Amino acid sequence: MHDFETSVKLHYDELTEAEQEMTRYILNNRELVSQIGIVKLGTLLLSSKSSVLRLAKKLGFNGFSDMKHTLQHSPITPMLEPMDLMGDLKQGLSHMLNYSEQTNFQPFLSKLKNARMIYLFATGFSQNNYTKEFSKDLMINGRSNMLISGDMALSIKSMSPDDLIVFTSLSGETPIIKDSVRNLSFKEIPIASFTRFGKNFLSNHATFPMFFEANDIPSPNDEVQSSMVGLALILDIVTRKYREFILYDE
């Protein structure tokens, strides 16, 4: 089971506006919430017992008691100053490590080892750089793979359910890949996705959805960029876990 903040990140986009506001209250008052019952919390949220229970289930918990127990045992992330970029990086890396400790990679690692061929597809420049590094690390570990560039439809024709295709994407909503992803799903070809936290088109279609932190970083020209360090970290974590898997877990 993921900690409370990770569960929120994974399901936040599925919540209604009212439920998102309820979630923010819980995060900001976790000590109080962890000590009261569902009826009292519903009153504080200007809501009802059934609404709180529905929120808990939408966040992936079995019920209110399960959510409350997770909240009591989740690490507290300190609030950051808006321009504390190094603090933001430290918090993001800490969250990624917590996520990796709470995630069962075993099914993905098994498929990674046993797939006939691994295909890798990146949806952007930074994603491509990190994916190339991932490809190299897999090769070093004796796992052959193939980077796809250009028209994915040509590569899909030669794929089968014995293969595995890995997507690296920031949003998971890149328009040009959607038809190909639907085609892959129709052919029952396993998909692994690495996207930023939150439900998206790619993760919804993935057999093995995985996530990374991608915090926004301000720049001098007023443009906001997303840090891709989280993608580099999760791919490195997978590489290390794969090496452990083939060396020690067989």
Side-chain angles (χ1 to χ4, degrees):
M1 173 62 68
H2 294 120
D3 63 51
F4 186 77
E5 288 193 25
T6 300
S7 296
V8 171
K9 286 176 179 288
L10 289 171
H11 299 284
Y12 191 77
D13 293 338
E14 304 168 27
L15 305 180
T16 65
E17 204 170 303
E19 288 169 338
Q20 290 177 353
E21 188 173 340
M22 291 164 67
T23 302
R24 286 193 291 271
Y25 178 90
I26 293 172
L27 281 169
N28 292 330
N29 299 273
R30 60 171 66 204
E31 186 175 348
L32 170 64
V33 173
S34 65
Q35 297 174 0
I36 61 178
I38 187 171
V39 175
K40 177 65 174 178
L41 178 58
T43 301
L44 291 174
L45 294 173
L46 303 179
S47 186
S48 64
K49 173 182 176 180
S50 59
S51 295
V52 175
L53 181 60
R54 184 163 53 248
L55 172 64
K57 291 187 174 181
K58 289 180 75 170
L59 290 175
F61 301 105
N62 294 326
F64 176 72
S65 296
D66 185 27
M67 183 181 76
K68 184 175 175 180
H69 179 268
T70 302
L71 191 65
Q72 290 170 335
H73 294 86
S74 294
I76 298 177
T77 304
M79 297 298 291
L80 297 173
E81 294 297 325
M83 299 306 294
D84 184 6
L85 298 183
M86 288 304 298
D88 190 54
L89 173 62
K90 182 178 179 181
Q91 177 178 307
L93 294 178
S94 176
H95 183 242
M96 284 300 305
L97 292 173
N98 287 335
Y99 167 73
S100 70
E101 292 172 356
Q102 299 161 8
T103 300
N104 179 17
F105 290 96
Q106 205 76 1
F108 174 59
L109 298 175
S110 181
K111 183 61 181 177
L112 201 60
K113 177 183 181 296
N114 296 313
R116 184 187 68 168
M117 175 56 68
I118 308 294
Y119 295 91
L120 306 173
F121 186 88
T123 63
F125 180 79
S126 296
Q127 295 92 311
N128 189 52
N129 287 337
Y130 294 131
T131 303
K132 285 181 178 178
E133 192 69 18
F134 182 55
S135 172
K136 181 199 73 176
D137 288 338
L138 288 176
M139 287 287 191
I140 291 173
N141 286 315
R143 176 63 263 193
S144 58
N145 62 87
M146 183 182 301
L147 284 160
I148 302 175
S149 59
D151 188 1
M152 193 189 305
L154 296 175
S155 298
I156 292 177
K157 290 180 179 180
S158 63
M159 294 183 192
S160 80
D162 294 328
D163 298 317
L164 172 68
I165 182 165
V166 179
F167 287 91
T168 53
S169 172
L170 177 60
S171 68
E173 298 286 349
T174 308
I176 61 171
I177 68 170
K178 290 189 175 182
D179 284 343
S180 294
V181 170
R182 293 187 185 100
N183 193 11
L184 289 163
S185 296
F186 177 75
K187 294 183 67 175
E188 298 185 327
I189 297 169
I191 298 171
S193 67
F194 292 88
T195 62
R196 76 187 308 168
F197 279 102
K199 295 295 183 181
N200 55 72
F201 176 85
L202 195 48
S203 70
N204 286 339
H205 285 78
T207 317
F208 309 102
M210 283 158 282
F211 302 92
F212 60 88
E213 193 81 53
N215 295 326
D216 291 335
I217 302 176
S219 63
N221 57 8
D222 293 330
E223 292 183 4
V224 176
Q225 298 176 331
S226 295
S227 170
M228 301 294 286
V229 174
L231 174 59
L233 180 57
I234 190 63
L235 291 176
D236 187 65
I237 288 171
V238 166
T239 300
R240 291 169 184 265
K241 286 186 175 292
Y242 181 70
R243 182 167 295 191
E244 290 177 351
F245 180 73
I246 59 176
L247 289 177
Y248 309 119
D249 294 348
E250 294 184 290

